[in-house]
Amino acid sequence: QVQLVESGGGLVQAGGSLRLSCAASGRVWNIYTLCWFRQAPGKEREFVASITRRGGSTYYADSVKGRFTISRDNAKNTVYLQMISLKPEDTAVYYCLAKGTPIAVWDIWGQGTQVTVSS
């Protein structure tokens, strides 16, 4: 089906920036939406941002709106999450999610990449 590999995480100071990448392989033409989620220790996994593969329509959680930008390069089968003005509360494992269409519902997750923001 689809495989996802995240990269780009690391340790940054508050106010810094990171760009995460999610490289997709396999049957990428079956992907309807690509999303970023994050999960901090002891907390539920939460939605961060999404983008549709074909149209590029984006949607953001209120907590990251204005600071994070999701984008895609379909020629490279890659989705990005540009993060600026990072805060300690952004610390989490960030996961990429590929979602199927409304008539063929499925989810495939990447392995995650750690983002740590120090104060």
Side-chain angles (χ1 to χ4, degrees):
Q1 175 58 281
V2 173
Q3 292 180 313
L4 305 174
V5 179
E6 300 99 327
S7 61
L11 174 64
V12 297
Q13 297 277 11
S17 302
L18 280 175
R19 188 179 73 163
L20 306 183
S21 298
C22 173
S25 60
R27 300 178 181 179
V28 297
W29 51 90
N30 288 332
I31 299 172
Y32 188 78
T33 305
L34 287 148
C35 310
W36 287 98
F37 281 71
R38 65 187 183 187
Q39 187 167 24
K43 297 184 178 180
E44 289 191 341
R45 192 168 297 185
E46 67 171 340
F47 170 81
V48 175
S50 67
I51 188 167
T52 58
R53 184 183 65 84
R54 296 188 65 181
S57 298
T58 59
Y59 186 79
Y60 297 91
D62 287 342
S63 60
V64 305
K65 195 172 299 182
R67 298 188 299 119
F68 291 10
T69 302
I70 189 170
S71 62
R72 90 272 199 249
D73 186 340
N74 286 347
K76 297 181 179 179
N77 294 323
T78 300
V79 174
Y80 304 96
L81 186 68
Q82 179 67 244
M83 306 183 294
I84 65 171
S85 301
L86 283 162
K87 306 174 182 179
E89 51 262 46
D90 295 319
T91 295
V93 177
Y94 283 70
Y95 296 92
C96 187
L97 166 67
K99 297 178 66 67
T101 69
I103 60 173
V105 179
W106 51 262
D107 295 338
I108 295 180
W109 295 87
Q111 83 288 349
T113 185
Q114 176 72 48
V115 172
T116 303
V117 184
S118 64
S119 60

